[in-house]
Amino acid sequence: MAKKSFKLAVLTGALALGISSTVNAGGASAEMLSNTCAGCHGTYGASVGPASPSIAGMEKENFLETMKAFQSGDMYSTIMGRIAKGYTDEEIDAMAGYFAEQEFVPAKQKFDEGMVSKGQKLHDKYCEKCHAEGGKPLKDEEYVLLAGQWTPYLHNAMTDFQEGAREMPKKMKKKLDKMVEKEGDKGLAALFAYYASQQ
């Protein structure tokens, strides 16, 4: 009887170990997966490097669409296209959920305080309809975070849009063309100063 109990205990233990191994081998946690992004996008998605955007607080659907666009090559990138292909759909979904739950941390950066007021007026006139609340992160809003985002990143992204490396939504192109025609590059600089001021 004791031998049977021992064998049953061993068998049960082995089965439990097997199940545990399968679960662990089945995939990393959302946090572990997201940590692979920290080198460029910072811990918890709060970037400390001006060339990489902060992705903490990024709306889930926006994250999913962006990663899939990188994977397919529909969105221009220097390195993200290769990185995105290394993840499965399930892993991307897990990361999207994780970053959506993180608190956005505005970048600490210098900006021209004298241009902030002008930038706010331009934002209200040309950008507010899509980038509500001054471009701050809002739940269930699919637009890219602007307020408190790194200025060099915003500048590079805008250059990609203007040069056709990234496809610009029709509504955005219409508004941007109108603003640049009237305000020129100084208008963009004022916008960037305004976003940098949002803490």
Side-chain angles (χ1 to χ4, degrees):
M1 190 76 171
K3 284 184 178 179
K4 283 185 177 179
S5 297
F6 176 74
K7 284 183 178 178
L8 183 60
V10 170
L11 181 61
T12 304
L15 181 61
L17 182 61
I19 292 172
S20 176
S21 298
T22 301
V23 171
N24 289 335
S29 70
E31 184 173 4
M32 288 173 64
L33 287 165
S34 300
N35 284 341
T36 64
C37 307
C40 294
H41 297 283
T43 306
Y44 308 118
S47 173
V48 294
S52 298
S54 288
I55 54 178
M58 188 175 183
E59 199 274 329
K60 184 174 180 179
E61 284 303 314
N62 191 4
F63 186 97
L64 292 172
E65 289 178 11
T66 300
M67 288 293 281
K68 287 177 181 177
F70 280 138
Q71 284 182 325
S72 67
D74 288 342
M75 183 175 286
Y76 168 78
S77 71
T78 52
I79 191 171
M80 275 305 302
R82 285 172 284 167
I83 290 174
K85 288 176 183 176
Y87 297 103
T88 65
D89 289 345
E90 292 76 15
E91 289 171 336
I92 291 173
D93 187 74
M95 289 189 290
Y98 177 83
F99 285 120
E101 293 301 317
Q102 304 309 304
E103 184 177 352
F104 180 76
V105 180
K108 301 296 182 187
Q109 58 188 323
K110 294 180 180 179
F111 56 90
D112 187 336
E113 295 183 13
M115 300 184 81
V116 171
S117 179
K118 174 72 171 179
Q120 182 173 6
K121 290 176 182 175
L122 292 175
H123 170 86
D124 291 345
K125 183 174 181 178
Y126 296 102
C127 313
E128 178 68 18
K129 282 191 177 180
C130 293
H131 299 279
E133 299 296 320
K136 292 178 181 175
L138 298 173
K139 288 292 183 185
D140 302 321
E141 294 290 343
E142 294 185 26
Y143 60 74
V144 176
L145 306 175
L146 298 176
Q149 190 62 272
W150 284 107
T151 298
Y153 165 73
L154 292 179
H155 182 272
N156 291 340
M158 183 59 73
T159 299
D160 288 343
F161 277 127
Q162 290 179 304
E163 293 180 351
R166 292 176 64 176
E167 186 176 356
M168 197 184 312
K170 289 181 181 179
K171 189 184 292 185
M172 176 183 171
K173 181 172 177 13
K174 184 177 179 181
K175 293 279 188 178
L176 180 64
D177 287 349
K178 189 178 291 186
M179 190 199 79
V180 171
E181 182 180 353
K182 188 173 182 181
E183 305 290 342
D185 289 340
K186 287 184 178 180
L188 287 174
L191 272 179
F192 296 151
Y194 169 61
Y195 297 137
S197 74
Q198 302 303 289
Q199 296 297 311

